[in-house]
Amino acid sequence: MQKLALVKLGGSVITFKDKALTANTGAIDGISGALVQLDMPVIVVHGGGSFGHHWSVQYDMHTKPAPYDPHGVAVVHESMIALNQIIVNSMIKAGANPYAVAPCMFTTGHKAIAAKVRQLYEMAKANNVIPVTFGDVVHMGGRKYSILSGDALMSIIAKVLKPSRVIFATNVDGIYRDMKTRELVQELKSARRNGDPVEFSKTAGADVTGGMQRKVREAFKIASMGMDVVLVNGLYPERIVQAAHGEVQTGTVVVKKGRK
Ligand code: IP8
């Protein structure tokens, strides 16, 4: 396991999901201010929110590889670059050293190009550069494209780098045992076969990649590779800092396989 914080910024934190193409610049600036405090290598992945998902819905594009409208491919990709620029510029203003990396630079299809992923770590470790990548539409060969979610990128990167901290920041405090009482699950050990230990909101809305349920699935996948995964509320950026330091006061830890 390497000293590294792999942080996913969910679309629900960095954009207003119900307002097309609108970034939550206040939240982004708060997170930039938190990330610059981290005294360890960091890699950031961000989601699409009301940028990528807005256009993916309009052009009926999904994670399933298919010959989608090439104009949709152009528009979805451009919207993600635009959101990435907002985040990168905010981090620069905060004094961090972000480096934008489209996922096609280190993946092929939905698989890692391991040497390129390791290079991201080397950049983060050598001199505090923070690679910032994102969910995107990617080429799958021939006329086919697919949406590759930021959550899937978390698994792809974690598998190669085995980061010491894996953090998903969303707009909720963690995983709720019960949506009505909002009772937070502090630790999740393993997916139960009979009956889910968690309740998922049915309001996936405009999210083409599966919202919270998808995040939890990826978190379990990463935990099964031997890493704890923390889900925190990114609207309280200090919780990202605490999680990176191994302290989780308000959040959910998906416990790594093998830990009692
Ligand atoms: O928000 C999806 O990334 P996610 C990105 O992490 C696009 O699921 C292009 C919809």
Side-chain angles (χ1 to χ4, degrees), residues 8 47-49 52-53 56 76 80 135-137 147 149-151 208-209:
K8 162 89 196 281
H53 286 284
S56 309
V76 169
M80 289 308 300
D136 200 0
V137 55
I147 300 290
S149 79
D151 297 334
V208 297
T209 54

Side-chain angles (χ1 to χ4, degrees), residues 176-226:
Y176 298 116
R177 198 176 304 281
D178 179 330
M179 291 304 282
K180 274 184 230 96
T181 61
R182 301 225 139 198
E183 188 198 342
L184 205 57
V185 180
Q186 276 173 348
E187 279 197 349
L188 262 185
K189 288 244 162 64
S190 63
R192 283 191 210 142
R193 289 262 156 77
N194 309 315
D196 234 314
V198 287
E199 220 179 78
F200 295 104
S201 105
K202 305 267 184 300
T203 53
D207 196 330
V208 297
T209 54
M212 197 60 167
Q213 203 153 352
R214 166 83 200 217
K215 236 165 277 304
V216 174
R217 203 177 328 124
E218 294 299 338
F220 274 121
K221 206 168 172 196
I222 296 169
S224 76
M225 299 175 206

